[in-house]
Amino acid sequence: MKVLLYTEGLKTIGVSGLGKAIEHQKKALSDVGISYTINVTDDYDILHINTWFFKSYFVAKKAKKRGKKIVYHAHSTEEDYRNGFILANQTSKLIKWWLIKCYSLGDVIVTPTEYSKKLLENYKGLENKKIYAISNGIELDFFKDDPSYRETFRKRYNYEEEDKVIISIGLYIRRKGIVDFVELAKRLPEYQFIWFGESPLMAATEDVRRAVNTKLPNLKFAGHVDQTFIREALSGCDLYLYPTFEETEGIPIIEATIMKCPAIIRDIPIFDEFEDKKSIYKAKDVDEFELLIRSFFKGDLPSLVEEAYLLAKKRDIKEVGKQLKEVYKKVLED
């Protein structure tokens, strides 16, 4: 069995969560002994395709004509496309039509969560497709804490030991909750806020551009950084904030909980697995985020990091490899 892992525009999307997911796929397949290639000119048995751009569609069409089996990975939905870049809301129905056109080429569809699986099952044109929910995975061996991380993180970003630091991770898009993050920095000047991740501001909506250009003494934008920096930040901060409005999985919160970093997330369906006040703390809007942040630093919120960790570790990349292997076997047998 040999798999072609195809991702269009990898250099561009490499800084996003999708880029991270592709790297995880490679590691997951290597862990379970599956041979793979990223070269479209190589021979292969299964095309595992990760993107829905024009070239991706024609690669899938060509593979289908050659009788190759296709696993189409649905990392995107109309729901998580909306509230993104300029004109996203105006074009979301067109994107949904195109996603269905692409995904329908798959013999099966893989998507990161049961939540995104349910969304896709309700798309007209995909209702008869076999859809499997398989996490993008997390490298448990990489996200292990070390006493030196906190000091390194604070030294790198000029924070004192006594500073109360709140971090978040995401692209510069409305859906990620960056506008609320900046609003909270304005409301809570006694705490330090730092946002990791970036995307072209020229493609961002006006409110996001204003947010990123906000100048506050307690607000930093760190841009795109190496995963080692993220690991140090999750160890060195006091609180992880995830104000995202929509995700197909939301790997950053999994990374935070694996590092046993205290977290407050938005109360949205993708995070139903985490029970509010039992495995994590949830907020519906910016006012609730503010209230919970204040309560957290007052010491009024009991720690839930152990409970969240137990849920997050189920996404170990070793398990992802086993699940993908089973899907590949079924596709070849069919």
Side-chain angles (χ1 to χ4, degrees), residues 2-10 13 18 21-22 25-26 29 36-42 44 46-63 69-75 102 328:
K2 188 173 183 180
V3 178
L4 168 60
L5 289 178
Y6 181 76
T7 308
E8 184 179 348
L10 187 56
I13 66 172
L18 178 54
I22 308 311
Q25 280 176 18
K26 294 175 183 177
L29 297 194
Y36 73 86
T37 179
I38 59 172
N39 187 343
V40 290
T41 64
D42 287 347
Y44 60 90
I46 298 171
L47 168 63
H48 185 152
I49 190 164
N50 284 287
T51 41
W52 47 268
F53 311 129
F54 289 116
K55 190 175 179 181
S56 304
Y57 174 77
F58 291 109
V59 166
K61 286 281 284 187
K62 185 177 180 180
K69 296 293 186 178
I70 301 174
V71 173
Y72 219 119
H73 212 123
H75 294 281
C102 289
Y328 294 158

Side-chain angles (χ1 to χ4, degrees), residues 21-158:
I22 308 311
E23 291 305 311
H24 286 179
Q25 280 176 18
K26 294 175 183 177
K27 189 173 192 313
L29 297 194
S30 295
D31 285 346
V32 293
I34 293 179
S35 176
Y36 73 86
T37 179
I38 59 172
N39 187 343
V40 290
T41 64
D42 287 347
D43 194 25
Y44 60 90
D45 302 297
I46 298 171
L47 168 63
H48 185 152
I49 190 164
N50 284 287
T51 41
W52 47 268
F53 311 129
F54 289 116
K55 190 175 179 181
S56 304
Y57 174 77
F58 291 109
V59 166
K61 286 281 284 187
K62 185 177 180 180
K64 206 164 191 68
K65 285 182 179 178
R66 293 174 61 198
K68 299 294 186 180
K69 296 293 186 178
I70 301 174
V71 173
Y72 219 119
H73 212 123
H75 294 281
S76 299
T77 64
E78 181 201 8
E79 288 75 9
D80 82 344
Y81 173 81
R82 286 200 298 259
N83 294 312
F85 300 110
I86 293 174
L87 299 179
N89 289 3
Q90 293 90 328
T91 57
S92 68
K93 293 302 178 186
L94 176 62
I95 291 299
K96 181 179 181 179
W97 169 81
W98 181 252
L99 289 175
I100 293 170
K101 190 174 178 67
C102 289
Y103 295 163
S104 62
L105 291 172
D107 293 285
V108 301
I109 298 170
V110 171
T111 194
T113 58
E114 289 294 335
Y115 170 72
S116 55
K117 178 185 175 183
K118 288 177 183 176
L119 291 178
L120 295 170
E121 286 172 340
N122 287 316
Y123 284 11
K124 188 176 181 180
L126 299 182
E127 58 267 35
N128 296 320
K129 283 288 179 183
K130 290 182 180 178
I131 305 177
Y132 298 91
I134 301 177
S135 170
N136 287 322
I138 185 168
E139 295 181 67
L140 293 185
D141 293 338
F142 178 82
F143 285 97
K144 285 184 177 178
D145 202 2
D146 185 285
S148 67
Y149 293 163
R150 182 177 177 89
E151 181 181 354
T152 303
F153 162 70
R154 288 180 177 251
K155 185 176 181 180
R156 177 176 289 119
Y157 294 104
N158 298 313

Side-chain angles (χ1 to χ4, degrees), residues 183-221:
E183 173 61 24
L184 287 165
K186 292 177 183 176
R187 294 188 185 191
L188 301 165
E190 63 270 40
Y191 307 128
Q192 299 294 323
F193 288 74
I194 179 168
W195 183 278
F196 290 90
E198 64 182 352
S199 52
L201 267 182
M202 63 183 297
T205 52
E206 179 60 33
D207 56 348
V208 170
R209 287 199 295 269
R210 284 198 305 268
V212 175
N213 287 320
T214 299
K215 305 299 180 185
L216 296 172
N218 67 325
L219 176 65
K220 287 186 175 79
F221 291 97

